[in-house]
Amino acid sequence: MADKTKDQENQMWGGRFSRGPAAIMEEINASIDIDKRLWREDIAGSKAHAAMLAGAGIISTDDAKTIIAGLDQIAGEIERGEFKFSAALEDIHMNIEARLKVIIGETAGRLHTARSRNDQVATDFRLWVRGACDELEQALKALMRALAKKAETHANFVMPGFTHLQIAQPITFGHHLLAYVEMFARDASRFADAQKRMNECPLGAAALAGTSFPIDRNATAQALGFDRPSANSLDAVSSRDFAIETLSAAAITGIHLSRLAEEIVFWTSSQFGFVRLSDAYSTGSSIMPQKRNPDAAELVRAKTGRIVAALNNLLIVMKGLPLAYSKDMQEDKAATFDAIDALALSLAAMTGMISDLTADHARMLSAAGEGYSTATDLADWLVRVLNIPFRDAHHITGAIVAIAENKNLALDELPLADMQRVEPRITQDIFDVLSATASAASRTSYGGAAPDNVKAQASRWLKELDREI
Amino acid sequence: MADKTKDQENQMWGGRFSRGPAAIMEEINASIDIDKRLWREDIAGSKAHAAMLAGAGIISTDDAKTIIAGLDQIAGEIERGEFKFSAALEDIHMNIEARLKVIIGETAGRLHTARSRNDQVATDFRLWVRGACDELEQALKALMRALAKKAETHANFVMPGFTHLQIAQPITFGHHLLAYVEMFARDASRFADAQKRMNECPLGAAALAGTSFPIDRNATAQALGFDRPSANSLDAVSSRDFAIETLSAAAITGIHLSRLAEEIVFWTSSQFGFVRLSDAYSTGSSIMPQKRNPDAAELVRAKTGRIVAALNNLLIVMKGLPLAYSKDMQEDKAATFDAIDALALSLAAMTGMISDLTADHARMLSAAGEGYSTATDLADWLVRVLNIPFRDAHHITGAIVAIAENKNLALDELPLADMQRVEPRITQDIFDVLSATASAASRTSYGGAAPDNVKAQASRWLKELDREI
Amino acid sequence: MADKTKDQENQMWGGRFSRGPAAIMEEINASIDIDKRLWREDIAGSKAHAAMLAGAGIISTDDAKTIIAGLDQIAGEIERGEFKFSAALEDIHMNIEARLKVIIGETAGRLHTARSRNDQVATDFRLWVRGACDELEQALKALMRALAKKAETHANFVMPGFTHLQIAQPITFGHHLLAYVEMFARDASRFADAQKRMNECPLGAAALAGTSFPIDRNATAQALGFDRPSANSLDAVSSRDFAIETLSAAAITGIHLSRLAEEIVFWTSSQFGFVRLSDAYSTGSSIMPQKRNPDAAELVRAKTGRIVAALNNLLIVMKGLPLAYSKDMQEDKAATFDAIDALALSLAAMTGMISDLTADHARMLSAAGEGYSTATDLADWLVRVLNIPFRDAHHITGAIVAIAENKNLALDELPLADMQRVEPRITQDIFDVLSATASAASRTSYGGAAPDNVKAQASRWLKELDREI
Amino acid sequence: MADKTKDQENQMWGGRFSRGPAAIMEEINASIDIDKRLWREDIAGSKAHAAMLAGAGIISTDDAKTIIAGLDQIAGEIERGEFKFSAALEDIHMNIEARLKVIIGETAGRLHTARSRNDQVATDFRLWVRGACDELEQALKALMRALAKKAETHANFVMPGFTHLQIAQPITFGHHLLAYVEMFARDASRFADAQKRMNECPLGAAALAGTSFPIDRNATAQALGFDRPSANSLDAVSSRDFAIETLSAAAITGIHLSRLAEEIVFWTSSQFGFVRLSDAYSTGSSIMPQKRNPDAAELVRAKTGRIVAALNNLLIVMKGLPLAYSKDMQEDKAATFDAIDALALSLAAMTGMISDLTADHARMLSAAGEGYSTATDLADWLVRVLNIPFRDAHHITGAIVAIAENKNLALDELPLADMQRVEPRITQDIFDVLSATASAASRTSYGGAAPDNVKAQASRWLKELDREI
């Protein structure tokens, strides 16, 4: 394979293997490229810790003030993009600590009293994940609102309901969208549950065993918005189930998004033609200007892989790790950040797509009447009006559909006489239930597809979402 | 590869490809081997539905009584092992329905009014998963109790705490065990949250769109112990997030079990020798009678793979599925049953192992003093007593440890004079903090490893567990 | 939740926790329910080992004969269903060994000379996986043949080629099917590569270190159809990459099947209507006799989850396991058997579906002309005939398509004058390339969609498949 | 949770949701941040395509020269870091194409004749993955060489062989290391097989259907080092099994690395103390200067999660995707790049660790004699010398070990008389086999642990590796 542009590849790869151990070790060991994203949490945690140390008389109030002022200065530097991150200093904690020493001198050394990087990183990461849950809940609610609004205005757009992607029974577009509101509401409640469960403060667990200093763990917990301090120091520094649980909520949300995305891909195909995405969320073709590729929907569908993989990743990393901290855990952040970013972006894109799409009622309604989709309505009529046992009604209906199919007629086009040949007691009233619109309108049981139900449910959701936000 | 016993393999495999389409289709399509496990739920759901139909005047009270009596008879037949399951009838629903028709005649046909296999299976499976959550919570509490009891009686067994599997600081065995109590408590609360979230009744969603019959969904929901009927019929028959969430709680529990199992494998190795499993949970060797292989711990560790895989399986199955029911969903049950069984078995085995194990305090304590594990205590003393900034104290301690290492002495064996050469203000009092036992005892901060903390936490947990069960 | 039929659940679950340690241990430890499937391999391995021991003078020829006769008797008993498997004897090896002792007495004890369960199970499982690879290759070739045959007879069925599920360019149905032949051919070659790589005999590695007996490992390797004995005894008993590689080949095959299955689900929807499955591979509805749910395709699509999960399972089980044998590895077989069975069944079902399906050329051709699918052909004409740079040709075409769209005309319906207004040099010849049929026929580059290409490729594949089988 | 620094989080997150659709779409759609890494492959592909177009008379030789010169100029700009990548131009292909137009004007437009982004990206990515396989094979061979060298010099370092992490039989450190050489050799051969299978050129498949231009696909295939052009245009642009297969080879390699990494973590613990890592590959502690945390080994172990996750990710992305190109496939690159980088880094780190580690023979040898690890040798002596059936010899040995255990003596310390009480025919010769060193030396069967075997195998491997590189 002499032609394979080996030289080029060597430039890409070779470096790694010709470098010395120190460079390889720095590359595998340093996490600053990833964990610098925790700077706000790290500084917030350090400020709370310094204030607590002073409050408990472990350091002087003056020292605490100096430390806090130094940390505020660093926050400003990072915010303004002036801070110089160093891989030699490995991680965000050491980067900030080193800078603090430059700014305030050896008083900086007192900040680390009764603390270790192990409880520090556990606290920082937990704060970040907690914040992510907040934001994902908000993002889910924005999507739910977009869906509920669209459902409200499309409560009576009759469309086919599918099973096995075969037309089954008429439903309404609003009803279909509200199914997703239910799913995303459960997803939001999963993030809320995860958030509540994780809201214990690890700070004070120190390296792994707690400390002999008379620290006030309630004070730091409260200052950082935690419900309480964690009750076991080993657990506090060794556990990452809070991140895994968040990723599993994210994975389930991703699955729900993938289903809606798949449907958008169908619906926008020329075979279905139920829905048209806005320009903003389609990708065109200069050669085929009418073309609207549903790229955003496809990407949302694909991001599921990334999110599920992050969950899988973190489960695998944690499998079989003895207590307490092992360096393996450093891998927790890259996976979590990547998945949460992918999910937040997917939610934003889906919210935009739903808000902007237009539905083609004519095509939906036409499809809703195909495939003898009201056969069940006929059977139900036989049960309800003629008191025929359901299973028998089912067979009578089958015979009538077979006749209609032979004649190449829709059910509501089939002459009454044909039906009566199968079941003489059928009357003209049967035609009240055989259209797609009538069928959808009849689904008035709680949770059913009838337009009035849809309006009521959409309105309930919109009110609830208004109240919450 | 002529010797490869082809003939034998052909017997195993060839059948499949020489059989006709009907046989292949039955093999891939039938689910009765798996879903017959849902028979109790299926009968309970049908009884509730029949009672509701009569209550709402959709069928007669006599018909309902006949149906319920027939279902009770079937329950008896299955319970006694007399029921003949048929693959030709595909699934548990059809098996029971067909038998009901034999027993009570055509009245059986009325049971299916305002119902479909889609809402029926969604209800059955939800009931089963809900029950599994109950049992897993109980199993987790049994394990927590075993751990807390063992922690209470081993609150002052000093052992090394590890980071990176290197000896870091002395802790106590009780403290270590209680870390897992915290983890398993969160695991139990995840099953409880999942259970609460899933507790909506799909019955009445019918095929996908609801029904035009005047059904009373609250009645069936209440009869089956659900909090309410589900609010959207499409969601009710199309969603399996309740199972995925349960599997993700199971996967996290599996990870926690794998960590404890890994530690048991270490602890029982002759290199560690901290713990001895009972005969019941070890596998011996007739040739080496002293040998005690920790097979149960290894199998618990390995089952994690199966549980995580089931989660992955169901996420993959559901990815990109359009609403409403697709046959793909039939795969939900095999994965869920397999994972829940594996987890329940793992919890039972771990509970047994923990209850029965004996700890070797002498070996633990001896190891706890190795590796200069009290260096942090020395540094903390310098901070606390001499008011040296922590980072400086850290460096002073490093210099003293280096001297001790050169002299091949433990820290508490190093003459005071050697320490004073590094920091003259060190006094004889320093020896109060340099033993492993003193170090562990000093970790009195909330959540710390001190024996008194451990006793208090163990007692708190045991009381709480007593109250709950 | 008093109504939750607790009693019933207790019957299902409670047993486990009220049983003693011995029962739990037997349940988690015994593998006979799974590994009895290895009986043929176990007996073949033992016969080869006994013959080798005699050949090397380690046991007498008479003893070898007695052992082999005993093993043959056991094989007969199992084959005839007369063998009684015992969970107390844990696994297939001990079950057969115990029975052998009953049949031939203490000579049975000589069979285990220079052998251990560790190399025995490694050999048995490797033989089984090797056989599975054989069968999967045959199954893949059967599917390839079905696809190639269908492609040959449908080489000129013009259908739309999709990107983003939007109509892009006309292709042919045969060409589409042949794309899968390429994929499945690579899949088959992966199983062949895996098989070749795994074909080293572990027998003789003994427990982990080899043996001091003068065994002849080449003899057993040859007798069992292996290419050579494995070169390192620790690797021989500790590695399961042969199973993981086979599962990864299975997972990739599963993905390819899922794509074809998804397309079948689309194609059989009433919106597409390209394809009709046979009765054998559809599931009907007694109420809607025209309905043909593509259940088999959906199940094939769903089985992907199970196969990918098995791969994930075994990767997780093996992660971080120290050498040599750990009990964790016992989990390898359940996952592998389950995935291979699912794949074999999926391949059989897909082969049946493809063989039996009928294609609707009229609907395919009609769709192929929609969506200005020949716009690229117009642009290519401009490049080829008028020597316009491609990107410019692309823009000219865009302008023409826009005009056609405004007039609601297909490209081949648009008057020449309209085209000439955009590019005056366009001539009447342009209409030779604007129909879907002409477009497909023009794709004559190697690997292109033109019917002649398809016929040639289909014929090449059928010849190759004939030669191989 | 008022204290939860909401404002800070809003800064991190809020942006996304307050931005307009265009920004969200650009963010989800643009891939340039990821795929710019393909610039060398993209330019190589374009140069080959331009040369072929000229060779086939589709464009003029002058145009080809101009295009190639322009592409070379762009390569220089990128190499020197002068090229300005633009997210608005989405991907690497459009970035380079746009720049080419600026440099050479509208001739640039001719480059895209008979090509599409679909075959272009398939070619680029395949070239990159092919190169990655090359480099990973080299990296694996470097690791194999480091292991084989270490094995050669440690062929007679007797250490305990473990099963279930319990001491089982004496082996040698060299033998243990060579087990990994076997595994990594198979891993390298997997990358080689993948590479061979993927080495077909997609260029010329165009958008999906091939082209009507008289292109010479053999020419481009040859110019880019491919074995042949791909035989089906749909397959060429739609398949990503080449990347999945590479990721599965990477995942298996990751598992092997995780096992060795886990062992290094054990071996460097103070409980085992078998191995000492060099300073370069340990992380120290300023407070405990003797401490050497095996961070690099832990990180290598953890990276397995990332690699397995990437495999899982891409399998999930591709599941159920219809042909031909869907935008979902854009996710292929991030996962692949991330996993390959992680694996290359892990291999480099492991190679460094192995090369630099020092083994402590005294501790290994001492542990090798513990736990009656030579009991099997005693049993084998009984079989070999006294012709006792193996199973009986096994029981006799068990009785002798029980006596030794009661007396708290090692087997080679137990008086002959004690043994003779169990089996009178045992002679003084028995002591020749009871030491760990004698036991290891006796494992001379092919593939066994005996030092001479190890030297021979190490030497064989080193010669083979020298020949290959």
Side-chain angles (χ1 to χ4, degrees), chain A residues 4 11 130 303 328 331, chain D residues 4 79 130 303 331:
Chain A
K4 233 198 296 169
Q11 286 171 269
R130 191 183 68 183
K303 297 282 182 197
D328 309 61
E331 286 283 303
Chain D
K4 231 199 297 168
E79 192 110 47
R130 191 183 69 182
K303 297 282 182 198
E331 286 283 302

Side-chain angles (χ1 to χ4, degrees), chain B residues 263-324:
Chain B
E263 298 200 303
I264 290 174
V265 172
F266 291 174
W267 292 341
T268 57
S269 72
S270 64
Q271 276 66 33
F272 280 76
F274 290 178
V275 151
R276 182 183 165 95
L277 291 177
S278 71
D279 290 357
Y281 290 103
S282 314
T283 302
S285 155
S286 61
I287 197 169
M288 291 186 271
Q290 90 295 352
K291 197 135 185 215
R292 317 180 77 72
N293 292 328
D295 287 46
E298 295 171 283
L299 287 163
V300 167
R301 181 173 63 185
K303 298 282 183 197
T304 310
R306 193 183 279 243
I307 301 165
V308 172
L311 169 60
N312 200 25
N313 183 350
L314 204 39
L315 286 164
I316 293 171
V317 167
M318 297 304 294
K319 182 223 165 189
L321 281 195
L323 308 187

Side-chain angles (χ1 to χ4, degrees), chain B residues 269-271 291, chain C residues 208-209 234 322-324, chain D residues 156-177 263 266-267 271-275 360-374 436-437 439-440 449:
Chain B
S269 72
S270 64
Q271 276 66 33
K291 197 135 185 215
Chain C
L208 74 159
L234 284 168
L323 309 187
Chain D
N156 56 5
F157 272 47
V158 175
M159 73 180 279
F162 293 86
T163 54
H164 312 270
L165 207 64
Q166 301 279 319
I167 293 171
Q169 294 178 354
I171 56 167
T172 51
F173 188 49
H175 191 59
H176 198 114
L177 296 175
E263 298 200 304
F266 290 172
W267 292 342
Q271 275 67 30
F272 281 75
F274 290 177
V275 151
D360 185 332
H361 193 190
R363 290 205 61 170
M364 284 180 173
L365 182 59
S366 158
E370 289 174 19
Y372 303 96
S373 63
T374 58
T437 301
S439 169

Side-chain angles (χ1 to χ4, degrees), chain B residues 43 55 71 98 107 117 122 160 219 237-238 301 316 338 370 375 383 425-426 445 456:
Chain B
I43 286 175
L71 290 166
T107 302
R117 266 201 283 181
V237 296
S238 308
R301 181 173 63 185
I316 293 171
D338 189 54
E370 288 174 22
V383 171
R425 291 176 290 167
I426 297 178
S445 59

